[in-house]
Amino acid sequence: MSFEIKTLHRKLISGLATVLPAATNPDELPAVSEVKDEYIKKLADSKEDYKVDSCENKFYGINFNTDKPNYLVGVRTETEIADLSSFEIPAGDYAEFTTDKKSRLELDQFIGGAYAEIMSSNDYNINGNFNIEIIDCLVENHDKEFKVLIPITNK
């Protein structure tokens, strides 16, 4: 599994957020994928409303941990939007992985493989408790590739 290194500027993502079920083994991953699918569909159903506040033409999914696993789907905004959840993506280096898979479960398995790839790398460490999904292909239902970006540092 190959990846490219991308340097990102700070971004604010605003949208819908939920707490995910905890998946402590592979058998529990389908339940996580189901909840993510549900929230992506909610975003897709209201995508025109989100585009009004968006400052770029992309849709994001953010997997992040507080005391529980969370998922936020939304768009990049300049400021926080009332009644929406927000997540600030810090500036830094990210490993970007790309796939043409479309099944949510396959995508979550792909993300797991991406983490394994970085953990086995001689050059990089994981640098955060979140990742960024570019979910245009799921929201717009077209052939763009799915991308996941994982924060990294040099070893």
Side-chain angles (χ1 to χ4, degrees):
M1 182 179 280
S2 63
F3 59 91
E4 292 182 39
I5 304 303
K6 301 286 184 176
T7 300
L8 300 182
H9 298 287
R10 176 203 153 291
K11 294 182 182 197
L12 181 67
I13 308 301
S14 299
L16 304 171
T18 188
V19 174
L20 294 171
T24 56
N25 68 62
D27 293 336
E28 295 168 333
L29 193 55
V32 173
S33 298
E34 187 176 314
V35 173
K36 288 182 178 184
D37 243 351
E38 175 186 331
Y39 272 75
I40 290 168
K41 286 178 183 150
K42 287 180 182 182
L43 178 63
D45 289 345
S46 302
K47 67 184 173 188
E48 297 307 319
D49 296 334
Y50 284 92
K51 285 180 180 180
V52 170
D53 294 316
S54 180
C55 59
E56 67 181 24
N57 194 24
K58 287 186 182 172
F59 293 98
Y60 292 90
I62 309 293
N63 295 286
F64 64 99
N65 288 304
T66 51
D67 56 331
K68 295 181 180 180
N70 294 269
Y71 190 60
L72 182 144
V73 293
V75 295
R76 181 177 174 204
T77 59
E78 292 294 332
T79 60
E80 291 187 13
I81 308 294
D83 300 324
L84 295 180
S85 298
S86 295
F87 183 88
E88 185 174 312
I89 298 170
D93 290 334
Y94 292 78
E96 180 184 79
F97 296 83
T98 303
T99 183
D100 59 1
K101 296 179 186 318
K102 298 288 187 272
S103 152
R104 186 69 246 190
L105 180 57
E106 288 178 324
L107 293 172
D108 288 330
Q109 292 166 337
F110 175 77
I111 293 169
Y115 273 95
E117 185 73 22
I118 296 169
M119 289 187 286
S120 66
S121 166
N122 293 325
D123 299 319
Y124 302 103
N125 286 316
I126 295 168
N127 185 32
N129 64 350
F130 68 96
N131 64 59
I132 307 159
E133 301 173 353
I134 309 296
I135 58 172
D136 297 344
C137 61
L138 303 173
V139 174
E140 301 276 15
N141 197 23
H142 55 58
D143 291 336
K144 283 188 181 177
E145 295 176 317
F146 173 90
K147 296 181 180 187
V148 63
L149 294 96
I150 300 171
I152 56 166
T153 58
N154 293 323
K155 282 190 176 177

